[in-house]
Amino acid sequence: MQLQNSALWRTQALINGEWLAGSRQFAVLNPADGSVLAQVADLGADDTRRAIEAAAAAMPAWQQLPAVQRSNVLWRWYELLLDNQEDLARLMTAEQGKPLAESRGEIAYGASYVRWFAEEARRVYGDIIPLPQADRRGLVIHQPVGVVAAITPWNFPNAMIARKVAPALAAGCAVVLKPAAETPLSALAMAELALQAGVPAGIFNVITATDAPAVGAEMTSNPQVRKVTFTGSTPVGKLLLQQCATTVKRTSMELGGNAPVIIFDDADLDLAINGTLAAKFRNAGQTCICSNRLLVQAGIYPEFVRRLQEAVAAFRVGNGMDEGVTQGPLISPQAVAKVHAKVQAAQAGGAQLVCGGELSPLGEYFYPPTILTGVTPAMAVWQEEIFGPVAPVLKFTTEAEAIALANDTNAGLAAYLFSRDMGRCWRVSEALQYGMVGVNETAISSEQIPFGGVKESGSGREGSKYGLQDYLETKYICMGGLQR
Ligand SMILES: NC(=O)C1=CN([C@@H]2O[C@H](COP(=O)(O)OP(=O)(O)OC[C@H]3O[C@@H](n4cnc5c(N)ncnc54)[C@H](O)[C@@H]3O)[C@@H](O)[C@H]2O)C=CC1
Ligand SMILES: O=C(O)[C@H](O)CS(=O)(=O)O
């Protein structure tokens, strides 16, 4: 693959500042055509253990640095990520499939977390507590939680890593990362730039592996790991939580979603259509905060469906590297099969196909943007996270009905509503059982907001002024003998 900066082409794992070929490799495929992009080191539990030991050995010197020195290294990493934005974007589109414009946007988005935590690194303040006894004072200080194990998904192969590794390093922690086997090249390129930025050997390690359960078992059971941060599906998150219990690790879980978009009769229809399109079809619908369920009030329903179909007809599906392509392939033929099965089951249950819904002539990795109407809450396409370019639409009548339908799920990550009635916006926002709510907007993510869910969408928050807390422990010191 042609890169301007050949140093970013890394196919070996990183342990203690050394690149490791491993005794075997696995193939990384290009989802645009199924071709082999690279052969990448395929490590296991023993390598993971060595990386954890290296992280534990390197961490004391890193955490004892003045915070401004950690901040300076993160600033340099931020600059290098942006300097190499085009190469990083091309690597991402090649291994994940999203259109180049989306990849460029994700690189900037991931870098924004590194910049944010370069700033936050210098603001880990404590407290002085005036105790009831005159001869002592209470102190509160915050210290790094310890060695962090991070496991990330393939759908945002740069940003999901940045929003874990940046706060961990800012707090003074060392990290062992296992990226998704589908998208290791983005992770390894990020690690190369971290080394160039001055991240010391052992502070940022990358375990590339196909045997995720074996690597995860080591991460969750090794007592030297004090924190596991995971972004991925809810079933895997639940397994990791169980595994972490044996050594009582701190955890952050960013899990699956099932986002409703509620469009009321009084909505600004242009805003609602544009917001729904963006939230539904970004990354071919493979995002945890995609609008998974469209709830449209009866009065606006016909016009909304017509306008949505019109907009979807203008999409261009193809290879993400080709300029003008608005939707790339899904991550695998298996993902396409899962999405298509949900569409077929919905139709068998009485849903109507407005557009799409057929296997693509472009090949087994592609699926057309699809709109279903007449969907019922009993259907899998409504109950489960679709993770594909399918928009199931359901007509509702009252506000109370919409809230009940929206909350009828175990997920609780993001929800959206469109209305010009301020009272309704407040009432519905507060009634929705989600960690994040977009009102008249679906582009809600940024490094400055607390990203995360409730219920079975996880725990912890990434980004914002709250994000560093996930990588810090709070220590109380009673300073006595002050009158001796
Ligand atoms: N809440 C959030 O911020 C996000 C949630 N997600 C969710 O992730 C899912 C899609 O991503 P996928 O990569 O398919 O999810 P996944 O859960 O299958 O994989 C995520 C990561 O976990 C690893 N993994 C899988 N099984 C494991 C095990 N037994 N032990 C340790 N690690 C294991 C994978 O190799 C990968 O690195 C969707 O459900 C999506 O909603 C994705 C991105 C963001
Ligand atoms: O994986 C995801 O869906 C991302 O967390 C969504 S976002 O942060 O890129 O909006």
Side-chain angles (χ1 to χ4, degrees):
M1 182 174 177
Q2 285 304 312
L3 298 173
Q4 291 161 0
N5 180 354
S6 58
L8 297 182
W9 183 258
R10 287 289 181 183
T11 59
Q12 300 187 350
L14 180 64
I15 297 181
N16 201 21
E18 302 291 328
W19 298 99
L20 199 66
S23 55
R24 60 181 189 277
Q25 286 74 42
F26 64 91
V28 179
L29 304 183
N30 181 340
D33 56 15
S35 63
V36 176
L37 259 183
Q39 293 288 344
V40 168
D42 195 354
L43 301 194
D46 291 345
D47 302 302
T48 305
R49 189 175 309 115
R50 284 198 306 111
I52 293 167
E53 287 162 359
M59 191 174 145
W62 178 247
Q63 80 176 79
Q64 284 153 22
L65 282 179
V68 66
Q69 291 185 28
R70 291 197 297 273
S71 171
N72 290 340
V73 170
L74 286 171
W75 269 110
R76 183 67 191 125
W77 191 25
Y78 162 69
E79 290 163 346
L80 288 170
L81 287 166
L82 289 188
D83 290 347
N84 291 276
Q85 183 175 14
E86 190 60 20
D87 274 349
L88 293 170
R90 294 177 62 79
L91 273 175
M92 182 182 297
T93 294
E95 66 178 352
Q96 197 273 346
K98 65 181 69 175
L100 209 45
E102 285 192 31
S103 292
R104 292 181 184 122
E106 185 185 334
I107 303 305
Y109 176 48
S112 74
Y113 280 99
V114 177
R115 180 188 60 205
W116 177 260
F117 287 106
E119 297 161 349
E120 289 292 285
R122 302 180 65 192
R123 291 173 180 76
V124 181
Y125 301 131
D127 299 299
I128 300 272
I129 303 169
L131 296 177
Q133 303 84 352
D135 66 344
R136 68 205 69 171
R137 300 287 183 274
L139 279 70
V140 173
I141 64 172
H142 301 285
Q143 295 179 308
V145 67
V147 171
V148 173
I151 301 174
T152 52
W154 48 259
N155 62 339
F156 287 86
N158 176 292
M160 295 307 101
I161 292 172
R163 93 179 174 195
K164 294 175 185 303
V165 174
L169 267 53
C173 300
V175 178
V176 179
L177 164 71
K178 190 210 76 68
E182 295 85 344
T183 54
L185 301 176
S186 296
L188 295 171
M190 291 176 80
E192 165 62 27
L193 293 176
L195 292 180
Q196 289 183 23
V199 173
I203 294 302
F204 182 16
N205 306 274
V206 183
I207 300 292
T208 49
T210 53
D211 190 351
V215 172
E218 179 60 35
M219 286 177 158
T220 53
S221 64
N222 190 311
Q224 289 186 292
V225 170
R226 293 314 316 149
K227 163 95 185 184
V228 170
T229 174
F230 172 72
T231 296
S233 64
T234 298
V236 174
K238 289 180 176 179
L239 171 66
L240 295 173
L241 281 169
Q242 288 171 352
Q243 290 174 325
C244 284
T246 54
T247 48
V248 193
K249 293 182 183 1
R250 292 271 300 275
T251 60
S252 294
M253 291 284 146
E254 296 288 350
L255 305 179
N258 185 357
V261 187
I262 309 172
I263 294 108
F264 289 97
D265 285 344
D266 63 17
D268 175 322
L269 192 50
D270 290 337
L271 266 185
I273 288 289
N274 293 333
T276 300
L277 286 169
K280 175 64 262 181
F281 295 103
R282 177 165 72 116
N283 201 6
Q286 300 170 118
T287 99
C288 62
I289 59 171
C290 267
S291 43
N292 208 61
R293 298 172 287 157
L294 277 55
L295 294 91
V296 183
Q297 199 161 22
I300 202 173
Y301 184 86
E303 179 63 2
F304 180 85
V305 171
R306 184 189 69 76
R307 289 275 305 271
L308 192 68
Q309 180 185 8
E310 195 176 77
V312 164
F315 281 14
R316 192 175 147 219
V317 182
N319 185 326
M321 287 292 189
D322 297 344
E323 288 302 320
V325 162
T326 61
Q327 181 188 309
L330 301 196
I331 193 67
S332 67
Q334 294 75 10
V336 170
K338 278 173 69 176
V339 170
H340 190 50
K342 284 189 169 69
V343 171
Q344 289 185 307
Q347 287 180 271
Q352 296 84 45
L353 191 62
V354 175
C355 65
E358 304 290 337
L359 292 177
S360 170
L362 293 173
E364 59 180 350
Y365 283 81
F366 291 88
Y367 200 74
T370 297
I371 300 171
L372 286 165
T373 55
V375 171
T376 69
M379 294 176 181
V381 77
W382 188 264
Q383 291 185 357
E384 299 168 13
E385 185 175 49
I386 300 166
F387 238 56
V390 177
V393 189
L394 179 147
K395 189 191 306 181
F396 74 90
T397 307
T398 67
E399 182 180 300
E401 180 193 0
I403 292 170
L405 283 165
N407 284 336
D408 182 21
T409 171
N410 292 330
L413 193 56
Y416 312 95
L417 69 106
F418 287 86
S419 167
R420 283 181 285 203
D421 177 329
M422 191 53 70
R424 166 172 283 161
C425 291
W426 273 107
R427 284 194 306 275
V428 178
S429 298
E430 292 179 349
L432 288 170
Q433 298 161 1
Y434 291 84
M436 301 175 284
V437 177
V439 178
N440 295 319
E441 182 56 69
T442 57
I444 61 174
S445 302
S446 94
E447 76 281 10
Q448 297 179 243
I449 63 103
F451 192 103
V454 298
K455 298 179 14 180
E456 296 194 11
S457 287
S459 59
R461 290 297 183 266
E462 296 190 312
S464 82
K465 68 174 186 177
Y466 305 100
L468 215 48
Q469 287 307 318
D470 280 19
Y471 297 92
L472 294 169
E473 292 289 10
T474 299
K475 176 181 281 181
Y476 158 57
I477 301 169
C478 180
M479 196 62 74
L482 304 187
Q483 293 178 344
R484 300 293 293 167

